[in-house]
Amino acid sequence: MTLVQSLKRQVGGLSVEVPNRPPLVFPLQHTAVNAHIAGNVSRVEITQSFANPFTTTLEATYVFPLPDQAAVDEMELRLGERIIKGSIKKRQEAQQLYEQAKQQGYTAGLLEQERDNIFTQSLANIQPGESIEVMLRYTASLTFEGGDYEFVFPMVVGPRYIPGITIEDERMGGGTAIAPLTRNQDTDLVPDASRLNAPILPEGSRSSHDIRVTVTIDAGMPVQRVVSPSHQIQVEQEGQTLRVQLAGADTLPNKDLILRYQVAGSNTQATILTQADERGGHFALYLIPALQYCPDNLVPKDVVFLIDTSGSQQGDPLWKCQELMRRFIQGLNPDDTFSIIDFSDTTRQLSPLPLPNTPQNQARALHYIDQLQAGGGTELLRGLRAVLNFPLVQPGRLRSIVLLTDGYIGNENQILAEVQQQLQPGNRLYSFGAGSSVNRFLLNRIAECGRGISRIVRHDEPTADVAEQFFRQINNPVLTNLHLRWEGAGEPPIMHPPTPPDLFAEQPLVIFGRKADRVSGKLHVSGIAAGGKRYQQTFHLQFEATGQPAIAQLWGRARIKDLMNHMMSGETKACVAAVTHTALDYQLLSPYTAFVATSEEARVNPQEQAISVQVPVEMPEGVSHVSVFGGAAAGALPAMTATVTPAPESLRSFSAQSIVQAVVQSVDRLVGSNSLPQRTQPRTVRLYAVSSPGGQDAESSFVSETVGERLQIVSAAGFAQREIAQLTQRLQSLPVPIGFHGKLVFEFQVANGRVSQVVLDELGLNEQTSTVKKGKGIVIREIRRSLLTWQPDPSINTTVRLTLRLQ
């Protein structure tokens, strides 16, 4: 009897039969969420209940979302009456402890962070018929906008589009194949793609998994107008405390819970929370300046709209984006100019140049919007480059870029790095997410990098107020040139963000700080208000051990976020070490730390066969199965990790590259045409790209050639001579720009035939004569990509320190 046949006999009612695929199994039975809100801070406990329906030992893996700025600081397992507290470890160490426990028959849990808003819970050695609970706890700040406090709890990870060359294709000599939508294969652009996409349930089916949410609001003053645009809720009130629960008919985990409420009193009052312990004094400042938007100070602006028309936008999400676009076009000021670019596999544009805001051009734009259709992959980088390079007719005019997308991609860092490097000073990027479970991490962070704002709009939410508020904000910031100054003894506090952004109407200023010596002092906040008036406010800070304990965790999370922002273009040793140190010191989950918990004794026979199951999840509400999987018969991605196969060829949504762009990708990773490419053997490429139109991409203007013997491996500590020879051969065929020389030092992990966490040691760029430092973005990116897509001998398990010299 095969494993699949055995499963079909054992699973019973806890499975869904999909033709020609293994059954979908549901070890996750229930999720309970209990949130307590006090002032600006929420403390949330999540209990995930897993059960093993088999007569065989089970390992379950569940990919799930959390808020993108959640400070996750606790994880526990409950085995019957016993509670096993998880320990925070360096991620590699936690993984090793988990694998060791699994192999020895111990029950173990491993909690890892894949993205700021995507997490993986693994449970090994669940006994037949046994139920296990996993408890997670996190702290987060509430958002405030337009007079409303907003609590959000995401429930499902939407299917991520994975661009790039699959690593298997790279090994086989393919050079231009692009990964299809939601394909669970690692690529050169998304090396961890296989960890991002959970199996999706077939259309028309659902699992036994449900969710219960209870939110207790203790605002310290009367709460008004509690509403949820996403769910049916039940509200109970006792004094000034409110208890909000999901209605019994709305417990399907397929959309973000959004809860909004107002409190009585002034919305402009500042809130200061402090905490002190052996790590120092911590504070959080929440300030909503009582500043009004001034319509008399309108500045003519140039607005370029970038709208996502990929397959996942089909139906309600695209209709909502079109509705928003119509309101945006009709709400522009008379002296504004505008254009529209839409993207999927390709990009199109309303006009080659910005258009004056005339009735004729508005009509032209509205017709263009009405004709938009969804389909293909989410090649956001292509669209972003098109809009960042869109001509500016009147130099000096403020350009505002408005992005509308669900953000369902896996290469977030590549997108954010592009914004950091290419957005011109003075320009702004605003992001709008349309849908029930959008990628809030990408949308929030891209707006932060773009010095703009982000807003999430459900596909069934009215747009009139959204558009009106957006124009109040986009027409002019209400507070600019913000500056923080500390007055007091000792070292000044470390604050995040270190440089506050400009504030828009009804937008709060949130600052987290840590003062190591806990000495009191004053924080001065100053800036320029609309109309040129000077704004200043002073806050007295005292650090007491009886303060709010969650503030320390929020500072740690803010510091990790700021450090990670410095590594959008690639990891560096100093920043990785700083993130790891902060995460361990504050007991926080991060990309480099993980929680692990193991039972005290072996509970199963490790010699017996075990089953590994990945928990299938619901398709986010409003997202079309057909548009994502490409056909009416499309179902979920397979749930059995041992038998995972890609979707059938007919269900894939491919992009490709022209020959010229395949060459240029060695320098700039540009994505090109729509035709399915032929497999080609690896070849040596020499490219002389002496210019680019309009200065569209400075990196493309570098002359590139095969490195050949110019690139030498000085040392490779951790590798034997055989691996050094293989790596030398690989790197010497790598096209990089000529005209650079110097030394580079990388550290990376090798295990199971893969390279991971390629970290640049910037101390290796210390030679005065080195020109690699000047152009390191190009050189380092190509070397890093070559290392990540290399597949060494699977038997090697080591840490490598690689020193290279470019002659």
Side-chain angles (χ1 to χ4, degrees), residues 467-490:
E468 181 182 349
Q469 183 186 40
F470 171 64
F471 279 112
R472 287 201 306 270
Q473 295 173 323
I474 193 176
N475 280 325
N476 248 330
V478 297
L479 192 58
T480 62
N481 299 324
L482 277 166
H483 178 69
L484 305 176
R485 182 175 63 87
W486 179 263
E487 179 186 349

Side-chain angles (χ1 to χ4, degrees), residues 710-715 740-746 760-776 779-780 783 801-807:
R710 291 177 51 225
L711 183 62
Q712 295 180 353
I713 295 181
V714 177
S715 63
F740 297 110
H741 66 271
K743 187 173 71 172
L744 291 168
V745 180
F746 295 92
L760 173 70
D761 185 352
E762 291 190 308
L763 293 179
L765 297 174
N766 58 2
E767 296 182 358
Q768 295 296 323
T769 58
S770 173
T771 58
V772 173
K773 191 169 185 177
K774 178 181 177 183
K776 67 178 183 177
V779 179
I780 292 172
I783 293 175
R801 182 173 175 84
L802 176 67
T803 301
L804 303 172
R805 183 175 296 279
L806 189 60
Q807 302 289 356

